[in-house]
Amino acid sequence: MFDTAIAGSLPKPAWLAETQKLWPQWKAEGAELAQAKLDATLLWIKMQEDAGLSVIGAGEQSRQHFVHKVEMGIRNDRYKAMVPQVVAPLKLKGRVHAAEARLLRAHTRRRIKFTLPGPMTIVDTVADRHYGDRVKLAFAFAELLNQEALALREDGVDVIQFDEPAFNVYMADAAAWGVQALERAAQGLGARSATSGRACRTAVHICYGYGIPANVDWKKTLGQEWRQYEQVFPALAASSIDQVSLECIHSHVPPELMALLAGKDVMVGVIDVASDVVETPAEVADAIGRALQYVPRERLIACTNCGLAPMSRAVAEAKLAALAQGAALAARRLDRG
Ligand SMILES: [Zn+2]
């Protein structure tokens, strides 16, 4: 059997937030909102289990994309967003994701994955008014991410994934320092904790973004072959990160680029997040079959191309089922030889 997992986000129920929006407004506030976020997380744990996924995520039900402060062009000006400002040395006020991670651990016996934004992507999503140096700022964020990630290991999280869509935009910087900043964020997670004895697998998700118009337009400028991964994968292959999540199905990424990740677990995107058309299990199994030319069977994890957040719940649920059924079909095809 192949492991199956989502890249990260899932749609928020209509009672939690506005639907089919990437930056939705919450429908409640205070303690009521905190409870609603946990209830939505619980709902998606059940949905992922029922669909048959082997690794369960929190679906990012507690997260609204960015804190709103100042407008800035992000991902090399592909879109404008209201972003937070850094005005003083960074430090964490306390735990960030303890409630969702503990809820996730308490309500499934399957392995659990938790996602955090990667340092380079955070740097691309905030306005720096203090450090005056992207690399320094990235390493400052990496230290804070590491604190939270080490605490998530204690909460019982099995896989900690950092999302780095910025790696696909600033490829030279990613290879020069982005991967190092990522390793700083993941430092020590793979070792057994002295207190709990727990260890984590570490992962990075690199994608071409959600299926929103700004991204769809950007993808049209990338040409027939998307070779961005080619510049970053060698640095990742040489890094301490265990797993790499990438786009595959319906993308223009040449599948042979997966061969650059020798020695890593590869989360292959076999569910398209830019289309509401639900894949058939056969299509998913075919995509897995193509990836198996470059990724050994024991290292392949079937995954979604990116998060499912902007979709309708019904489509997302159907896509989770297609993912699990397609992975099962691919395994049966292999066993038949
Ligand atoms: Zn993504």
Side-chain angles (χ1 to χ4, degrees):
M1 269 309 286
F2 294 102
D3 269 332
T4 44
I6 50 169
S9 68
L10 289 164
K12 295 188 176 72
W15 43 261
L16 174 63
E18 295 174 298
T19 56
Q20 287 171 269
K21 282 192 177 178
L22 198 49
W23 288 282
Q25 293 299 312
W26 300 114
K27 295 273 181 82
E29 47 189 55
E32 196 187 327
L33 175 60
Q35 184 62 56
K37 288 172 173 179
L38 294 179
D39 291 349
T41 307
L42 192 56
L43 178 155
W44 279 116
I45 293 169
K46 174 71 174 153
M47 287 294 184
Q48 289 172 83
E49 285 198 342
D50 288 353
L53 302 192
S54 61
V55 180
I56 308 296
E60 301 179 9
Q61 297 297 292
S62 295
R63 219 170 300 174
Q64 197 181 25
H65 255 240
F66 302 114
V67 181
H68 291 205
K69 286 277 166 58
V70 298
E71 193 185 70
M72 187 173 90
I74 65 172
R75 311 294 175 268
N76 209 9
D77 250 346
R78 199 188 325 155
Y79 36 79
K80 301 271 188 230
M82 300 297 284
V83 301
Q85 295 187 77
V86 176
V87 295
L90 293 162
K91 63 170 196 255
L92 277 186
K93 281 187 182 161
R95 283 301 309 278
V96 185
H97 296 297
E100 309 103 272
R102 289 170 191 172
L103 180 101
L104 191 53
R105 185 66 288 162
H107 290 281
T108 183
R109 291 196 182 84
R110 298 184 196 174
R111 278 165 292 146
I112 61 174
K113 176 168 94 166
F114 208 90
T115 58
L116 297 170
M120 190 173 185
T121 295
I122 295 180
V123 166
D124 190 45
T125 312
V126 301
D128 179 25
R129 305 278 182 260
H130 174 77
Y131 288 84
D133 181 304
R134 278 159 59 83
V135 182
K136 268 190 202 150
L137 183 64
F139 277 85
F141 274 115
E143 272 180 47
L144 305 190
L145 287 164
N146 188 243
Q147 282 175 35
E148 177 66 15
L150 288 167
L152 288 168
R153 181 181 65 177
E154 300 307 293
D155 294 333
V157 172
D158 301 292
V159 182
I160 295 183
Q161 173 182 299
F162 296 94
D163 296 337
E164 285 285 23
F167 278 13
N168 256 352
V169 184
Y170 312 106
M171 287 77 76
D173 284 350
W177 56 266
V179 172
Q180 274 177 281
L182 175 68
E183 286 185 290
R184 175 66 190 88
Q187 193 175 303
L189 293 172
R192 294 210 170 274
S193 150
T195 28
S196 67
R198 301 192 52 86
C200 289
R201 303 284 285 166
T202 56
V204 61
H205 166 72
I206 312 169
C207 64
Y208 291 84
Y210 287 111
I212 59 172
N215 290 337
V216 173
D217 291 344
W218 172 60
K219 289 178 191 180
K220 284 181 193 149
T221 70
L222 298 178
Q224 275 309 309
E225 282 205 326
W226 300 352
R227 304 199 72 96
Q228 283 73 13
Y229 288 148
E230 195 166 25
Q231 297 181 57
V232 184
F233 282 180
L236 279 172
S239 79
S240 56
I241 303 298
D242 299 310
Q243 307 184 340
V244 179
S245 161
L246 49 84
E247 282 202 20
C248 184
I249 196 166
H250 300 163
S251 86
H252 294 263
V253 173
E256 63 270 21
L257 297 186
M258 288 187 255
L260 297 171
L261 293 171
K264 301 298 171 191
D265 292 348
V266 183
M267 283 183 262
V268 180
V270 294
I271 295 289
D272 188 352
V273 304
S275 163
D276 281 347
V277 179
V278 178
E279 290 78 359
T280 64
E283 285 172 312
V284 170
D286 289 348
I288 292 170
R290 287 192 294 275
L292 284 169
Q293 294 178 261
Y294 309 101
V295 181
R297 179 181 187 169
E298 65 280 4
R299 291 213 171 267
L300 193 150
I301 300 161
C303 191
T304 57
N305 269 352
C306 184
L308 302 174
M311 298 191 146
S312 79
R313 249 176 87 173
V315 170
E317 285 170 28
K319 287 198 176 236
L320 295 184
L323 172 59
Q325 289 164 13
L329 176 59
R332 284 200 303 275
R333 284 178 177 175
L334 274 178
D335 291 338
R336 279 202 303 265

